[in-house]
Amino acid sequence: MTAPDDVRTAVDAAYRDEWGQVVATLIGLTGDWDLAEDSAQDAFAAALAAWPRDGVPHRPGAWLTTTARNRATDRLRRDAAGAVKLRQLAVLARTPDEPTVEEIPDERLRLIFTCCHPALPFPARVALTLRTLAGLTTAEIARAFLTAEPAMAKRLVRAKRKIQEAGIPYRVPPAELLPQRLAAVLAVLYLIFNEGYDEEDVRRALTAEAIRLTRILVRLMPAEPEPRGLLALMLLHEARRTTRTEDGVLVTLEHQDRSRWDRTLIAEGVETLDQALAMRRTGPYQVQAAIAACHATAPDAASTDWPQIATLYTELARVAPSPVVDLNRAVAVAMADGIPAGLALVDEIAASGRLGEYHLLPATRADLLRRAGRTAEAKAAYEEARKLAPTESERRYLSGRLREL
């Protein structure tokens, strides 16, 4: 007999580590996403019943995969009607009862690329990835994205239907399509991370899931540098997450307490970035990680290598052009070459209209005007930014700046 608390801990750990693999294996065998998820849930419920009596198996993943496959077989036998069900049963019957670790292929790579297929709407890719790979419930995903649970459930149903009706292949894309499709996968993972990189507790679990899924992708695609670049970027951001707000107010990078930054995560982030850069195929996530590393490794704000950061933003604008990148480059130029040079770039971006009502445009302009001693103009810009700011912590920060002026 195993203590109930020990079993619960073991099942929780197995859920985190094995859910995606169990579901992916069942989808690979049956092609039925709902059957795979339901059978995986049954397997974990069976573990809660069997492991206290029999002990935690030496290979939980193999036990869960076998149990899930057996549950799927039982369901198909009960519901068997028509050629599709019979074919699924035939496939499951050919699978050995006790697969070894080596005999269970890691199907998660195929699952990742299928969830993030370009034919699916972007929100559906995100939801499907969190449901099938991370094992989050529909309710948890809905809460994280501030969406009603029925609406999220419909989104997941539509995504699975689209995969079936459009004949989206359950596979890793061929070599000629891999760069484009990998970019789509990385975009989903980074969005999940950014959605959780927030002061709201209900969303913080998303950052951990994004990092965990990106670690899996790095292991599954060891020869690709960009997954390592994204992992490094996430780790470097996560290292200073606890210092981003104080008493509900945003704390800018230069004022954060660097003694509270997680040096272990920073070291891992820098090492992961070095591994990616050694492959000599630079991509946007590697460049962003290099910028984050410049900030994370500077002993204090005054020691920040702004000329290097400005150079990196120039490179980022080349490989992944966007007005937001241009705005960040303007800040780096201001810090490296003087406020007037940066302000001129910000004014060019504002005049172009490319950023619309993006709140960080007037906020950036306000900060540079304040540094230049142009107080009246800075006040007006801070007011504009405060009206556009999407979070309460940012509005509080901007209000504090106005009070200082």
Side-chain angles (χ1 to χ4, degrees):
M1 296 286 290
T2 304
D5 288 346
D6 292 340
V7 170
R8 170 57 70 180
T9 299
V11 172
D12 287 346
Y15 193 89
R16 288 192 305 271
D17 296 339
E18 306 291 349
W19 169 268
Q21 168 68 347
V22 174
V23 170
T25 299
L26 265 291
I27 292 175
L29 289 170
T30 68
D32 189 325
W33 290 61
D34 290 329
L35 176 65
E37 289 183 23
D38 291 344
S39 300
Q41 290 282 14
D42 288 348
F44 281 96
L48 284 172
W51 292 3
R53 180 187 68 243
D54 303 333
V56 178
H58 179 61
R59 293 183 282 113
W63 190 98
L64 290 162
T65 300
T66 298
T67 303
R69 194 196 67 246
N70 291 339
R71 293 294 191 275
T73 301
D74 292 342
R75 285 177 179 240
L76 287 171
R77 282 177 179 151
R78 282 199 311 268
D79 304 335
V84 172
K85 297 292 185 185
L86 293 174
R87 280 199 300 271
Q88 290 172 329
L89 269 171
V91 169
L92 288 168
R94 289 198 300 269
T95 308
D97 285 338
E98 292 296 335
T100 65
V101 172
E102 292 74 18
E103 289 172 330
I104 302 177
D106 199 321
E107 299 279 350
R108 287 174 295 184
L109 192 59
R110 290 203 287 176
L111 183 55
I112 289 172
F113 277 100
T114 305
C115 288
C116 300
H117 196 281
L120 296 173
F122 197 83
R125 299 182 214 171
V126 174
L128 204 57
T129 299
L130 288 172
R131 177 74 197 111
T132 56
L133 270 160
L136 271 65
T137 65
T138 303
E140 288 171 332
I141 301 169
R143 281 199 305 273
F145 287 91
L146 308 179
T147 302
E149 184 176 349
M152 184 59 69
K154 289 179 182 177
R155 182 179 297 174
L156 287 164
V157 168
R158 286 195 298 268
K160 294 171 187 176
R161 186 183 300 138
K162 175 77 171 180
I163 288 171
Q164 182 177 4
E165 293 176 352
I168 293 174
Y170 187 66
R171 66 176 185 181
V172 179
E176 66 272 16
L177 297 178
L178 188 58
Q180 173 195 357
R181 292 284 302 281
L182 179 57
V185 170
L186 297 174
V188 167
L189 295 178
Y190 195 34
L191 176 69
I192 294 171
F193 178 84
N194 282 325
E195 287 292 332
Y197 197 62
D198 188 61
E199 69 269 17
E200 298 178 40
D201 289 336
V202 71
R203 299 156 74 91
R204 284 182 176 173
L206 291 177
T207 61
E209 286 303 329
I211 290 172
R212 189 173 69 84
L213 292 172
T214 306
R215 288 189 191 280
I216 291 171
L217 188 62
V218 168
R219 289 198 300 272
L220 295 176
M221 305 186 74
E224 291 294 328
E226 275 291 79
R228 292 180 190 272
L230 178 57
L231 178 58
L233 178 61
M234 289 178 177
L235 293 172
L236 291 165
H237 282 327
E238 183 69 7
R240 59 181 184 84
R241 192 243 292 256
T242 58
T243 65
R244 291 182 67 245
T245 60
E246 186 171 341
D247 297 327
V249 180
L250 180 71
V251 180
T252 57
L253 184 60
E254 66 177 317
H255 294 111
Q256 290 173 14
D257 182 356
R258 296 179 184 230
S259 68
R260 293 170 51 205
W261 289 359
D262 189 324
R263 294 295 159 185
T264 301
L265 286 180
I266 291 173
E268 184 186 358
V270 171
E271 180 182 3
T272 303
L273 174 61
D274 288 343
Q275 293 168 355
L277 294 174
M279 298 180 188
R280 300 189 179 280
R281 281 181 286 140
T282 304
Y285 292 108
Q286 295 169 71
V287 179
Q288 291 177 75
I291 293 168
C294 285
H295 289 296
T297 57
D300 50 55
S303 304
T304 304
D305 189 347
W306 285 108
Q308 174 66 12
I309 292 173
T311 300
L312 288 168
Y313 271 119
T314 299
E315 173 64 12
L316 184 59
R318 185 186 68 82
V319 298
S322 84
V324 174
V325 171
D326 292 339
L327 182 62
N328 287 323
R329 177 178 172 272
V331 173
V333 167
M335 302 304 290
D337 300 335
I339 301 301
L343 260 176
L345 293 175
V346 171
D347 288 341
E348 283 181 21
I349 297 168
S352 72
R354 291 181 297 157
L355 281 175
E357 294 189 336
Y358 183 54
H359 72 288
L360 289 182
L361 176 58
T364 299
R365 188 168 183 275
D367 187 63
L368 295 181
L369 288 168
R370 177 183 61 81
R371 293 173 187 269
R374 294 161 62 177
T375 304
E377 294 171 90
K379 284 181 179 179
Y382 276 129
E383 286 282 9
E384 181 184 356
R386 185 171 61 175
K387 291 176 183 176
L388 297 173
T391 68
E392 185 59 31
S393 66
E394 289 174 296
R395 286 190 289 273
R396 289 172 180 163
Y397 164 76
L398 294 166
S399 295
R401 283 298 195 194
L402 276 167
R403 285 194 299 271
E404 290 172 7
L405 289 176

